[in-house]
Amino acid sequence: MTFLKQQVLFVLVAILSVVFFFVYQNDIPSLMALPESYVRMRVYKLIFAAFINYGLISLFYLLLRKTFITILFSQFLFFLLGFINIQKEQYLSASLTPSDFLLVKETFISAPMLLKSLVLISVFVFLSFLIWGYRKEKAEFKMLLLPNFVLATGILGFFISANFTNNFGQFCDTKKNALICQYRNALPNTNGDWVGDHLNIKQLGYTAFFFSKSMDGINNKVFNTENIPEDKIQALFSEQNQALNASESAEKDQDKVLPNIVFIMSESHWNANQLDKSLPQNITPTINKNQVSTLLSPSFGGGTANVEFEVLTSLNVFLNHNELLYVSKLKRPTYSLPMYLNTLGYDTTAMHNNGKYFYNRSAVYQNMGFNRFISIENMANGQNRSQYINQAGWANDDLIYKSISDQLQHTDQPQFIYATTVENHPMYNDDRFGADHFKITKDVSAGTKRALNTYMSGMQRADQHYAALLKDIAASKRPTIVIFFGDHLPNLQNVYDDFGFYKNEQEKTDKKDVRFFETPLAVWSNFPIDRSGLKSAYIPSHFLAPKILQAAHIPLSPYYQFIGRVNHCYSSIHQVGIQTQKSCENDKAQLFDQYKELNMDVINGKNYTYQILHQTTEN
């Protein structure tokens, strides 16, 4: 094949692929009704997306060296990524990003069996066909390699340069009339474009989005890691207005018995009555009785590890670009709630009735300072484990609640337990707890009734487990506080649509209302606590720890005093909005910048936070 014919094929395929995806993702008549300037910008974006597709096809040719196999392989890969993204957005309302490929194991376990089977069969069939086609297609002239190398490096190098220079921002500030500067706003910019991932995909196509997002990750890793000076971090923990630090307060209360603290983060626990008033009422009476507020979760339908991250560190997922930090960043000692409680004499335990390597928990919990991690491997031996696994493949919560009760028997030290449950994990298209426990009167599909029955049965079981645990604790003499909350709203898929939970498609996509992130927050204790700080419309997960410490009359470390100051000025720092408090007595803007710097230091910087606070506790 001649070079010209090959390149014509590559260009046509690149354009058709982008146009096909664009037509599928967009309402063309509605788009054409928009102002001409907006339509023109969308066309420019498509042109740039086609160039990226073209450059990637040329890059694949350098590896495969056969024209038709290159086209087949590249477009199948792009189609597969686009398909997976559509499925993820449908189920979890979040786009597929490069960092998700660090979660291959978790994704495979959590995905519906039908979807897993379809993807695996498709990949197997395609690879078989690809190998057969590769052998059949004739080898081509080596002279085609050089021009394809020049095209691939030239085109992709241009877009990489644009990404790493904020789309030639500094250049265009001085030469605004330059040709490229007239189109710079149409260049892919997934890191700084306020429209977000979902709309970026609609405008760019998935291939261009994924390429740009990958470059963002490299750019952030190499160039955008800001090392906050140590003196700035030190200042955060010394500006406490002469407040007593935790160790001094503890010395004054040497005779005081520190209470056990038990956090139970219940998988997908939510108030399903928000779907419809006709649904059965009060199926979780113990949780309802003890509910003090709602937890404002950073996640919807998934992302349990990000909720854990906020509760245990009081850092912020939103300020860290919703990155899954358990997988990508928490690979070194990190100041956290268990690390602080260790200094007060607590015995700290993390529990999860799932595999110890899920979400890197085995390493993460160690870096957070937990004394031990009790996973399903510790709760049941391999021979007996199958009897605790339900139809959906998740372990029943009998295991984890028994582990909590057993651990609380160690009364020599106050106990801190952070338990993450799993039995009510999606998907809900099974009868893991038996069928038809609840009567659904609304006219919805049989599949919706089944899923909702399974989910609500799981809610009811969570309440029963919780009630039994409280009964056990009430019989003991040790002061204990138990905090129960759902990690995020459940992934109920079509149930939400059948019940009209979303007002419109835009709300379904954007989810800019707190109701999509609120889960029940219940607090029980067998000793008097200060509930004043818990009385609010909602409590963001990043502010929960200091509120619980204050409620239990436990002194705050300098770190949590600073977090408390931030909370005094901001009721939430979340993707649905940054809400300020009227009672703030400090410089709000300065405090917000300091909180951002704390996040940067711990996640991407030198981690002076840990060094300073660890040294303080040692001294």
Side-chain angles (χ1 to χ4, degrees):
M1 178 175 291
T2 66
F3 173 71
L4 182 59
K5 287 183 178 179
Q6 181 195 61
Q7 296 309 304
V8 169
L9 268 176
F10 284 176
V11 170
L12 285 175
V13 169
I15 293 173
L16 288 173
S17 176
V18 168
V19 169
F20 172 80
F21 193 91
F22 180 80
V23 171
Y24 176 79
Q25 288 279 93
N26 291 269
D27 182 353
I28 303 302
S30 299
L31 178 63
M32 298 306 295
L34 295 171
E36 182 183 349
S37 58
Y38 181 82
V39 175
R40 189 186 308 117
M41 182 61 67
R42 294 291 294 274
V43 172
Y44 293 154
K45 285 179 177 286
L46 279 180
I47 292 172
F48 285 131
F51 268 113
I52 290 175
N53 198 354
Y54 176 42
L56 290 172
I57 294 173
S58 295
L59 180 65
F60 280 121
Y61 180 79
L62 298 177
L63 302 174
L64 300 172
R65 301 189 178 189
K66 294 183 179 181
T67 298
F68 292 106
I69 290 300
T70 294
I71 292 173
L72 184 65
F73 176 76
S74 62
Q75 299 313 300
F76 177 80
L77 179 62
F78 299 159
F79 170 81
L80 182 63
L81 291 174
F83 173 76
I84 294 172
N85 173 71
I86 290 170
Q87 297 302 310
K88 185 182 178 188
E89 287 190 338
Q90 178 182 349
Y91 293 143
L92 298 181
S93 300
S95 303
L96 179 71
T97 61
S99 62
D100 289 332
F101 288 90
L102 298 170
L103 293 171
V104 173
K105 179 181 177 182
E106 284 82 357
T107 301
F108 185 80
I109 293 173
S110 301
M113 181 56 69
L114 178 60
L115 179 60
K116 282 190 289 193
S117 301
L118 285 174
V119 171
L120 290 175
I121 291 170
S122 298
V123 170
F124 175 77
V125 171
F126 171 75
L127 289 177
S128 301
F129 180 74
L130 183 71
I131 293 170
W132 175 83
Y134 188 85
R135 291 174 176 174
K136 288 289 185 181
E137 188 173 355
K138 293 181 180 179
E140 297 179 340
F141 297 114
K142 291 184 179 180
M143 67 177 61
L144 292 176
L145 291 175
L146 180 60
N148 275 287
F149 173 79
V150 172
L151 282 168
T153 54
I155 294 172
L156 299 180
F158 168 81
F159 287 104
I160 292 172
S161 298
N163 183 285
F164 278 50
T165 58
N166 190 25
N167 289 356
F168 309 109
Q170 291 184 329
F171 173 79
C172 291
D173 285 341
T174 57
K175 299 182 180 181
K176 296 181 180 179
N177 295 325
L179 181 63
I180 188 59
C181 298
Q182 299 175 34
Y183 306 101
R184 67 179 295 263
N185 290 331
L187 287 165
N189 184 15
T190 53
N191 196 37
D193 197 331
W194 62 269
V195 300
D197 290 349
H198 176 77
L199 290 181
N200 259 315
I201 291 170
K202 290 183 70 174
Q203 295 176 4
L204 295 169
Y206 190 77
T207 304
F209 164 83
F210 190 84
F211 175 82
S212 181
K213 201 73 172 177
S214 298
M215 293 305 104
D216 288 340
I218 297 172
N219 193 357
N220 288 334
K221 186 73 175 177
V222 177
F223 296 105
N224 290 347
T225 295
E226 182 182 354
N227 290 323
I228 308 299
E230 183 176 5
D231 59 341
K232 274 195 168 186
I233 300 302
Q234 182 74 61
L236 302 184
F237 310 130
S238 59
E239 296 175 1
Q240 304 303 327
N241 299 321
Q242 300 179 358
L244 291 173
N245 66 35
S247 61
E248 290 173 338
S249 297
E251 287 177 5
K252 289 191 174 184
D253 292 326
Q254 285 180 351
D255 297 331
K256 179 182 175 181
V257 177
L258 290 171
N260 292 327
I261 304 172
V262 180
F263 279 79
I264 300 173
M265 188 169 72
S266 187
E267 172 62 44
S268 299
H269 195 89
W270 176 61
N271 180 7
N273 293 118
Q274 293 185 44
L275 288 171
D276 197 87
K277 293 181 179 179
S278 67
L279 292 177
Q281 302 290 312
N282 202 31
I283 63 174
T284 58
T286 310
I287 294 168
N288 295 348
K289 177 182 177 181
N290 292 287
Q291 184 168 344
V292 294
S293 183
T294 59
L295 182 91
L296 186 65
S297 168
S299 301
F300 173 89
T304 299
N306 275 346
V307 190
E308 282 185 34
F309 165 77
E310 287 205 345
V311 174
L312 291 172
T313 67
S314 289
L315 299 177
N316 194 283
V317 167
F318 172 67
L319 294 181
N320 287 286
H321 312 293
N322 295 317
E323 190 173 354
L324 189 52
L325 297 162
Y326 267 30
V327 175
S328 62
K329 295 288 176 63
L330 291 190
K331 303 180 186 299
R332 59 187 181 181
T334 303
Y335 191 82
S336 64
L337 183 57
M339 191 172 287
Y340 167 54
L341 292 176
N342 284 338
T343 67
L344 299 183
Y346 275 82
D347 186 20
T348 55
T349 305
M351 294 183 185
H352 187 36
N353 51 334
N354 203 359
K356 62 182 178 180
Y357 297 115
F358 209 69
Y359 282 125
N360 284 350
R361 282 189 174 98
S362 183
V364 168
Y365 287 152
Q366 186 174 2
N367 285 327
M368 285 186 174
F370 279 104
N371 293 336
R372 69 185 59 79
F373 173 29
I374 300 175
S375 64
I376 192 170
E377 290 89 350
N378 310 112
M379 296 176 184
N381 61 46
Q383 294 179 338
N384 299 328
R385 199 172 301 156
S386 60
Q387 64 182 294
Y388 298 105
I389 306 300
N390 60 39
Q391 278 186 23
W394 304 103
N396 290 331
D397 286 346
D398 308 67
L399 284 171
I400 196 165
Y401 277 91
K402 182 179 183 304
S403 295
I404 294 171
S405 295
D406 290 345
Q407 187 63 34
L408 289 175
Q409 302 306 311
H410 299 276
T411 55
D412 291 342
Q413 287 179 268
Q415 299 291 316
F416 170 68
I417 298 173
Y418 193 92
T420 302
T421 76
V422 77
E423 80 166 17
N424 207 23
H425 196 289
M427 315 307 275
Y428 303 106
N429 53 348
D430 57 70
D431 300 315
R432 71 187 78 164
F433 308 122
D436 300 325
H437 288 167
F438 301 101
K439 185 177 181 180
I440 310 297
T441 59
K442 191 174 179 67
D443 185 18
V444 291
S445 68
T448 288
K449 289 183 178 180
R450 183 186 192 189
L452 196 51
N453 255 287
T454 297
Y455 175 70
M456 294 176 70
S457 297
M459 287 174 56
Q460 188 177 60
R461 281 175 57 86
D463 189 82
Q464 291 166 354
H465 284 306
Y466 176 63
L469 177 67
L470 297 188
K471 184 177 180 180
D472 282 348
I473 295 173
S476 70
K477 296 180 180 180
R478 183 98 193 189
T480 302
I481 182 172
V482 181
I483 303 94
F484 177 102
F485 57 92
D487 53 353
H488 50 67
L489 268 69
N491 182 0
L492 284 170
Q493 305 173 46
N494 294 334
V495 174
Y496 289 124
D497 295 321
D498 286 356
F499 276 87
F501 184 62
Y502 306 111
K503 295 176 183 177
N504 50 52
E505 285 298 314
Q506 191 68 32
E507 183 180 70
K508 180 179 179 180
T509 299
D510 294 343
K511 293 187 175 61
K512 293 298 184 183
D513 195 304
V514 295
R515 71 190 181 95
F516 297 119
F517 301 93
E518 285 185 290
T519 66
L521 172 63
V523 177
W524 175 94
S525 69
N526 60 358
F527 68 100
I529 63 172
D530 180 3
R531 295 179 176 270
S532 59
L534 303 174
K535 295 177 180 178
S536 57
Y538 55 76
I539 298 175
S541 51
H542 46 273
F543 291 144
L544 180 63
K547 287 183 176 294
I548 295 301
L549 292 175
Q550 288 180 307
H553 310 291
I554 295 172
L556 300 183
S557 69
Y559 181 89
Y560 285 112
Q561 289 180 43
F562 172 73
I563 298 298
R565 290 174 62 213
V566 177
N567 189 197
H568 190 66
C569 289
Y570 292 90
S571 57
S572 68
I573 299 172
H574 193 275
Q575 65 189 68
V576 300
I578 298 173
Q579 304 296 330
T580 59
Q581 304 264 39
K582 293 181 179 179
S583 59
C584 180
E585 299 171 355
N586 298 290
D587 186 329
K588 292 179 182 177
Q590 181 187 35
L591 203 55
F592 184 74
D593 288 340
Q594 289 176 329
Y595 185 49
K596 287 174 65 177
E597 288 172 347
L598 176 67
N599 276 264
M600 176 63 74
D601 174 66
V602 174
I603 301 304
N604 295 308
K606 294 291 187 179
N607 202 10
Y608 290 123
T609 299
Y610 169 76
Q611 298 172 36
I612 292 167
L613 295 171
H614 184 63
Q615 184 179 26
T616 300
T617 55
E618 284 188 335
N619 294 338

